[in-house]
Amino acid sequence: DLLTRFARTLAAWPEARHVVEFRHPSWFDAETERVLTDHDLANCISDSPRWPAWDIVISGLAYARLHGNDLLYRGDYAEGLLAGWAARVRAWRAAGHAVHVYFDNTAEGAAPRNAEALLALVNHD
């Protein structure tokens, strides 16, 4: 009920795409997926050492927040990890999804470098 009420509130702002980041696995179920789908809300796939990831694309938007693989909000994504994310991005795009990937590992300045590396890997044939 809480998620449905929140989704209805977000409907008052139709010009923006809305994404929900769930940080507890109790939300990772068919009922949550149905509410998100019914209200055209996307799920945030979160990469974090602290929170579990619900690896599901909903409402045509693949949205990922990379908070830092080993250390929350810091650290550098190794090339192998970025290659895995690049493969996922290519697959999501091939499936027709819009794709947004955000790096939140900013504490030590790695986010811009990792974003550039991911973009290069995604666009590499």
Side-chain angles (χ1 to χ4, degrees), residues 8 11 15 23 31 48 79 87 91 93 107-108 112-113 117 119:
R8 289 180 182 145
E15 60 275 2
R23 293 187 173 179
E31 182 180 3
S48 162
E79 187 174 336
R93 288 169 64 182
E108 296 169 349
R113 186 173 53 256
L119 187 58

Side-chain angles (χ1 to χ4, degrees), residues 5-20:
R5 288 193 315 270
F6 181 60
R8 289 180 182 145
T9 300
L10 291 175
W13 189 15
E15 60 275 2
R17 286 297 314 258
H18 301 286
V19 180
V20 181

Side-chain angles (χ1 to χ4, degrees), residues 49-80:
R50 185 178 297 169
W51 308 294
W54 190 22
D55 196 359
I56 186 170
V57 176
I58 299 173
S59 299
L61 175 60
Y63 186 104
R65 290 186 68 206
L66 283 67
H67 297 286
N69 185 262
D70 293 328
L71 301 168
L72 187 63
Y73 305 128
R74 59 177 54 87
D76 210 348
Y77 279 85
E79 187 174 336

Side-chain angles (χ1 to χ4, degrees), residues 12-35:
W13 189 15
E15 60 275 2
R17 286 297 314 258
H18 301 286
V19 180
V20 181
E21 182 174 7
F22 298 99
R23 293 187 173 179
H24 193 275
S26 63
W27 289 98
F28 305 176
D29 62 24
E31 182 180 3
T32 300
E33 182 179 356
R34 181 190 54 75
V35 172

Side-chain angles (χ1 to χ4, degrees), residues 93-116:
R93 288 169 64 182
H97 301 300
V99 179
H100 295 261
V101 178
Y102 297 91
F103 285 89
D104 193 16
N105 56 328
T106 56
E108 296 169 349
R113 186 173 53 256
N114 289 165
E116 287 177 342

